[in-house]
Amino acid sequence: MKNVIKHDAYDKKAYERFLKNSRYLQKLLSYYSQYHPIHEKLAEDTFYAFFKYVVEFNEYVEERFKINKAILEGAIKNIEYEKRKLLTELDEVNAGTATVMFCEKFFENLKLAKLNKELKKFASEGKGEGLDDKLKEIAKNTMKDIADEVSEIIQGFNAVENFGKGEGDKKLLSPEERIKLADKILQNKKIREIVKKLGKLRLLAINEYKSKIKHYSGEIYSTKIGRDLKHLLPKEIVNLSDELLYYDFLRRFVDKKLLIYDIQNKLEKQKGPIIILLDHSGSMYGDREIWGKAVALSIIEIAKRESRDIYYIAFDDGVRFEKRINPKTITFDEIIEIASLYFGGGTNFIMPLNRAMSIIKEHEAFKNADILLITDGYAEVNDAFLKEFDKFKIEYNAKLISVFVETFPTETLKMISDEVIKVYDLADEEARKIYKAVS
């Protein structure tokens, strides 16, 4: 027996499907063959360790594969593994994602420990004094190293999967599509970091949205028929206490003919579309870029729930990329495209603001828009533009929200901004200020 973990045909098929559709895992296995001669079986067994509900070791394992048993014993006999397994068991994409991340880090640690010669000797001669204990320790530390990142990337992956799903949308990706999406995320370090951040910020955006609607239930202005139990008229509630009227109540509930209050939610009617202007200048590169993109993408969740359109503009010293987004139909490729792009030039505020004005003038749907400018740059705005923009805001009922990331706002931009938000560090909670401003 070459595999150290017991598995059946269903487990085997799940692993083979993941391997077939994950080019990144294939590349990893090809590259790291120089460090661990039996790495392919190790990857397969790692998948089973994350995927199977009950993990058991085979009693008989071929001598040269026993080294993998030592590695997996070190990896799975700790609390970090147990916690992550709750996210991966019986989910081949999450299990495969955890497998990729474990193999990545384990082979990297193996390289640092300079054990490749000892491993090759063991594979050919079956000799390796004290090798088991060394590998167990490396595997144990590897699991600790990746534990938080595994949770974050799975949470982020779930966030990306849920984009583009409107209310009641039950469409599911096929296993192959989910694997290919995970593969795109895993093989690009920057996209991986954005998705990790996005998972946290999306939940924060949802919580902020929900906290607002808790404090506003709308205004009663009429009655109608339907079956929304939250808005039943008192006379309908009384019917529930009478046995005969109760059955009549159920019949009318099924037919959507109960008397209910008609609620007019003024807040929703007042909300217009959102135009996001994200700075792609050289100074945004790195953590600021990752944070800014994750915030921009997480706002799509608020826009989806409030039925608001999004227009996304990437700028540096000019407008470099733009896309109109329907939050209910946004595709995974669009998310990856936004996350991937970066330009790195200077900073110019007039050009993206001019483009935002043009969009509002050209598209009736973008009147009453909130313009959200996210930047860490410094660029002045001339007096002629200040007057033009102020006049434009009044005429089209637009609002400018300027977000300054780890920098101070310019005086001229403060003059034309309806709200200025200063982000002093890139903590997740700082994003809450932005969600409050746009939701």
Side-chain angles (χ1 to χ4, degrees), residues 36 42 59 233 240 250 311 336 407 431:
H36 187 25
L42 175 62
E59 292 180 12
L233 265 63
L240 292 171
L250 293 179
Y311 204 102
I336 299 297
T407 190

Side-chain angles (χ1 to χ4, degrees), residues 250-366:
L250 293 179
R251 177 184 59 77
R252 289 185 297 115
F253 173 77
V254 172
D255 293 338
K256 300 182 182 179
K257 290 185 177 180
L258 296 173
L259 287 170
I260 61 173
Y261 291 116
D262 197 0
I263 304 297
Q264 182 178 33
N265 193 335
K266 290 183 179 178
L267 288 184
E268 285 189 4
K269 291 189 175 183
Q270 292 170 354
K271 292 171 184 171
I274 304 170
I275 300 175
I276 299 172
L277 311 179
L278 183 61
D279 188 349
H280 278 238
S281 63
S283 58
M284 281 287 284
Y285 182 77
D287 290 342
R288 293 176 181 181
E289 175 201 0
I290 288 165
W291 188 86
K293 287 178 177 177
V295 168
L297 288 168
S298 62
I299 287 171
I300 293 172
E301 185 64 40
I302 292 175
K304 179 178 75 175
R305 290 167 182 263
E306 296 178 341
S307 299
R308 303 166 75 181
D309 274 338
I310 293 272
Y311 204 102
Y312 176 83
I313 295 174
F315 74 93
D316 48 17
D317 48 10
V319 172
R320 303 304 178 195
F321 173 82
E322 58 183 274
K323 181 181 282 287
R324 183 173 180 173
I325 297 168
N326 183 336
K328 291 186 178 181
T329 59
I330 186 171
T331 65
F332 305 122
D333 287 338
E334 286 176 314
I335 294 170
I336 299 297
E337 182 181 31
I338 289 169
S340 303
L341 289 172
Y342 180 71
F343 299 99
T347 306
N348 182 303
F349 294 147
I350 293 178
M351 294 182 75
L353 287 170
N354 268 330
R355 182 61 189 132
M357 287 194 290
S358 297
I359 291 161
I360 293 170
K361 290 174 182 177
E362 293 166 6
H363 302 282
E364 185 69 26
F366 277 86

Side-chain angles (χ1 to χ4, degrees), residues 85-102:
K85 191 171 178 293
L86 294 173
L87 302 172
T88 62
E89 59 190 21
L90 303 181
D91 186 316
E92 64 187 87
V93 179
N94 288 354
T97 297
T99 298
V100 168
M101 295 174 73
F102 176 83

Side-chain angles (χ1 to χ4, degrees), residues 126-161:
K127 296 177 183 179
E129 189 175 343
L131 191 57
D132 282 13
D133 291 337
K134 291 177 186 177
L135 292 174
K136 279 183 182 179
E137 190 63 24
I138 291 173
K140 180 182 177 181
N141 291 334
T142 297
M143 189 59 71
K144 288 180 181 178
D145 291 342
I146 68 164
D148 289 340
E149 190 179 9
V150 167
S151 299
E152 289 170 0
I153 203 72
I154 289 175
Q155 184 183 52
F157 179 68
N158 290 338
V160 173
E161 277 194 298

Side-chain angles (χ1 to χ4, degrees), residues 375-390:
T375 181
D376 74 335
Y378 185 90
E380 287 297 347
V381 180
N382 59 53
D383 290 339
F385 180 81
L386 285 174
K387 291 176 183 177
E388 180 189 357
F389 193 74
D390 272 336

